[in-house]
Amino acid sequence: MKTEDKPLVIAAGFTLVILLIGTGYTLSTSGTMPLLQPTYLLQQLQIGSFLGICAAGLMLVILTGHIDLSIPATLTGAAMIATAVGGPWAIPAALAFGLAVGLVNGAGTAVLRVPSMIFTLGMDTVLRGITVAQTGGFAPQDQATPLMLALAKDRLLGIPLALYVWAAVSILIAFLLARTTFGRALYAIGTRERAAYLSGIRIRPVIIGAFVASSLCAALAGVLLAGYSAKAYQGMGNAYLLPAIAAVVLGGTNVLGGSGRYVGTLIGVILIVLLNSVLSIMQMPEALRQIIYGVVIIVMLLIYGRGDRETG
């Protein structure tokens, strides 16, 4: 087995184990097996598509060895802007907001050389303050547009449109990573930024592009989530940061940058979705779910750190 295939096999194995545990639990308690029913699985994947889109953009940033902690506020801000603007300009306005956030994050990290963890955390705080000032701390009264509702809830050929959106984002991300100079540059920067610079790669535009992609994905997820909820509300993006990081890391992307495949991120998202489903069925408290995500991230960080020391 190739080294790069091991994380995929492990993640797929965990997914199968979670599926078996959830199926066994529901079969023993209620005599039913919802996790094996296509309708239930499609519903869970529909909800998971918001996480999947966030994770897709975040993976590009992590490949460069950086992190984007402004995803929650970006998602929330885009949702609020989309519902406030309304009409045909709702989604473009939300994406423009995501573009602006990504440019600022990228410039702060690549040009000003502020550590991405600090800069994006500060950006998240600023955006939270702006949304509170805009709404006065209350949930906005604006509603999602018909297009947002359709993208989040309607179905085509029995499949939710949100899954088509996620699939389109996935195809674009996979193409960027496998077939473009930009994708190869992401891996090179994450492996060794100084060596990438000496080889002629334009470091700053690539890092800025990665942050723009992350923020655009977060904004798109916010649009879909607002459509699914029929409105925007304070803190609607808070539940997506840790699961998105966990999905990327579980899929085999090195959190220190330089390695990872998008198919692994897809498997990681599915694993998280199934894990959430099983924990919900078992009525697991939200606090314990967050502990599980945190433990997963810490363990994978330790594994990657040990591997780097042994090969360094």
Side-chain angles (χ1 to χ4, degrees):
M1 182 188 301
K2 295 181 180 179
T3 303
E4 60 268 23
D5 291 335
K6 288 183 180 180
L8 303 182
V9 174
I10 293 173
F14 272 124
T15 302
L16 181 59
V17 169
I18 292 172
L19 187 61
L20 291 175
I21 292 175
T23 300
Y25 179 84
T26 55
L27 186 60
S28 63
T29 56
S30 63
T32 61
M33 296 185 293
L35 287 175
L36 298 182
Q37 298 176 1
T39 302
Y40 180 82
L41 287 175
L42 280 176
Q43 180 186 18
Q44 293 303 306
L45 288 175
Q46 178 182 11
I47 298 173
S49 63
F50 314 138
L51 170 62
I53 292 172
C54 287
L58 179 61
M59 179 186 175
L60 301 187
V61 174
I62 291 179
L63 281 176
T64 66
H66 294 285
I67 192 69
D68 184 0
L69 300 182
S70 66
I71 286 177
T74 304
L75 188 155
T76 302
M80 289 188 172
I81 287 176
T83 55
V85 172
W89 292 103
I91 296 178
L95 294 179
F97 171 78
L99 174 64
V101 173
L103 288 173
V104 174
N105 281 337
T109 301
V111 179
L112 301 180
R113 307 300 293 176
V114 178
S116 58
M117 180 178 293
I118 302 301
F119 194 93
T120 58
L121 183 61
M123 175 60 71
D124 185 80
T125 304
V126 169
L127 294 178
R128 288 175 189 269
I130 292 175
T131 56
V132 171
Q134 177 187 355
T135 62
F138 300 98
Q141 301 301 311
D142 305 295
Q143 300 296 313
T145 66
L147 178 57
M148 293 166 62
L149 293 171
L151 288 175
K153 294 184 176 182
D154 286 1
R155 294 183 175 232
L156 177 63
L157 302 177
I159 300 175
L161 290 181
L163 290 183
Y164 288 104
V165 177
W166 183 18
V169 171
S170 297
I171 291 172
L172 178 59
I173 296 295
F175 176 80
L176 284 175
L177 292 177
R179 301 292 182 181
T180 67
T181 303
F182 174 75
R184 291 189 290 272
L186 291 175
Y187 287 102
I189 292 172
T191 300
R192 192 175 295 275
E193 183 174 323
R194 180 63 178 173
Y197 173 76
L198 293 175
S199 67
I201 294 175
R202 300 177 64 191
I203 304 294
R204 291 178 178 177
V206 173
I207 293 178
I208 292 174
F211 276 100
V212 166
S214 178
S215 294
L216 283 175
C217 285
L220 179 58
V223 169
L224 294 177
L225 185 57
Y228 189 80
S229 304
K231 62 180 181 180
Y233 53 91
Q234 291 284 347
M236 64 190 301
N238 292 349
Y240 286 89
L241 180 59
L242 272 179
I245 296 173
V248 174
V249 174
L250 278 172
T253 298
N254 192 333
V255 76
L256 302 177
S259 66
R261 289 190 289 175
Y262 183 68
V263 65
T265 297
L266 283 177
I267 295 175
V269 171
I270 294 173
L271 191 157
I272 294 295
V273 170
L274 289 178
L275 179 61
N276 267 328
S277 299
V278 172
L279 294 179
S280 297
I281 291 173
M282 293 180 174
Q283 299 181 344
M284 196 74 68
E286 177 64 25
L288 187 55
R289 300 186 198 185
Q290 297 299 321
I291 292 174
I292 292 173
Y293 295 142
V295 168
V296 167
I297 294 171
I298 290 173
V299 169
M300 296 306 291
L301 276 170
L302 291 175
I303 293 173
Y304 285 132
R306 180 178 300 176
D308 288 341
R309 287 192 297 271
E310 290 176 352
T311 58

